[in-house]
Amino acid sequence: MSERRACRVIDADRKSVRYRSTQDYDSELREKLRELANQRRRFGYRRLHILLRREEIMINRKKTQRLYREEGLAVRRRRSRRRAVGTRAPAPVLALPNQRWSFDFVHDQMASGRRFRVLNAVDDVTRECLAVVPDTSISGRRVVRELTELITQREKPGMIVSDNGAELASNAVLAWCGEIGVEWHYIAPGRPMQNGYVER
């Protein structure tokens, strides 16, 4: 039925039905969400929600999704491998041990044809190999476990540098960085020399 007739049946004022609030209570939150989405261009609303919680902005995940959609944000599809991902600021190099660690995977296969991977960690200043973790499958949670064990043996690093691999950019790693308080810098795709210490 029409709006006029429906309002007459329930005895409601049509002005109240059509009223839309002009106040925007989430303006600061929307601005922060746009800022994070611009910095982390390959992050969807789930990963951005983790970053918001890291900055002590406690909101429901569904609200993050709603604001993400209303702001017209979306994960930008890659047109080439050289498109910038993550933060564009260069990672600073400090001439002190445990200031910057680099992580990367190498791949190989056994004589039987079964593939395996090796997670390598290097201190960029001392050039010391901190860890070598071989396995047939290494997930983001496994990376977190290895990092936690490595930090118990050494002090916490000032920064960790890696590429944008699925395991190293997973939700588990992002949540871990927020809990421990470690900055994780992602290099631009197609630029391995930005992570040259561990790439070599």
Side-chain angles (χ1 to χ4, degrees):
M1 66 177 65
S2 66
E3 179 187 280
R4 185 189 304 272
R5 186 176 177 187
C7 290
R8 189 183 305 118
V9 170
I10 64 174
D11 194 23
D13 191 346
R14 293 174 65 197
K15 293 181 180 179
S16 300
V17 173
R18 293 188 174 187
Y19 175 77
R20 294 291 180 270
S21 176
T22 58
Q23 298 183 3
D24 187 5
Y25 298 100
D26 299 318
S27 57
E28 295 182 0
L29 179 59
R30 292 172 186 269
E31 182 178 352
K32 187 64 179 177
L33 190 62
R34 286 195 301 268
E35 178 184 345
L36 289 174
N38 188 39
Q39 293 175 357
R40 309 283 184 153
R41 301 185 178 188
R42 296 294 303 169
F43 282 15
Y45 75 90
R46 289 184 178 87
R47 292 181 179 177
L48 292 177
H49 180 71
I50 294 175
L51 296 181
L52 288 174
R53 293 180 67 89
R54 185 185 299 177
E55 299 188 12
E56 298 182 357
I57 302 176
M58 299 301 176
I59 60 172
N60 191 292
R61 182 183 58 82
K62 293 183 179 178
K63 183 174 183 179
T64 305
Q65 182 182 13
R66 176 174 59 82
L67 296 178
Y68 184 84
R69 188 186 305 115
E70 290 177 358
E71 290 300 312
L73 301 174
V75 177
R76 302 182 185 182
R77 296 185 178 180
R78 296 180 185 171
R79 294 184 180 178
S80 66
R81 293 190 51 150
R82 296 182 178 270
R83 190 158 184 176
V85 175
T87 56
R88 292 189 177 188
V93 179
L94 300 177
L96 294 172
N98 287 328
Q99 290 301 308
R100 194 173 82 176
W101 293 353
S102 295
F103 281 78
D104 194 25
F105 284 98
V106 294
H107 311 263
D108 205 343
Q109 65 180 13
M110 306 176 192
S112 62
R114 186 173 185 183
R115 294 185 173 275
F116 67 93
R117 316 178 71 194
V118 181
L119 175 63
N120 297 302
V122 175
D123 189 312
D124 290 357
V125 177
T126 63
R127 310 293 175 88
E128 178 186 1
C129 183
L130 305 174
V132 176
V133 183
D135 207 336
T136 55
S137 177
I138 301 178
S139 64
R141 293 181 180 178
R142 174 71 182 279
V143 172
V144 168
R145 287 200 307 269
E146 297 295 337
L147 277 169
T148 304
E149 183 178 347
L150 188 58
I151 286 179
T152 57
Q153 300 172 3
R154 301 171 172 267
E155 60 183 76
K156 184 175 64 174
M159 176 183 290
I160 297 176
V161 181
S162 73
D163 57 15
N164 297 272
E167 301 84 0
L168 300 175
S170 64
N171 289 339
V173 171
L174 288 174
W176 178 85
C177 288
E179 294 173 4
I180 303 298
V182 175
E183 181 183 357
W184 197 295
H185 178 80
Y186 295 102
I187 66 172
R191 304 288 183 183
M193 284 311 301
Q194 292 182 4
N195 200 19
Y197 294 112
V198 71
E199 287 285 349
R200 67 176 177 81

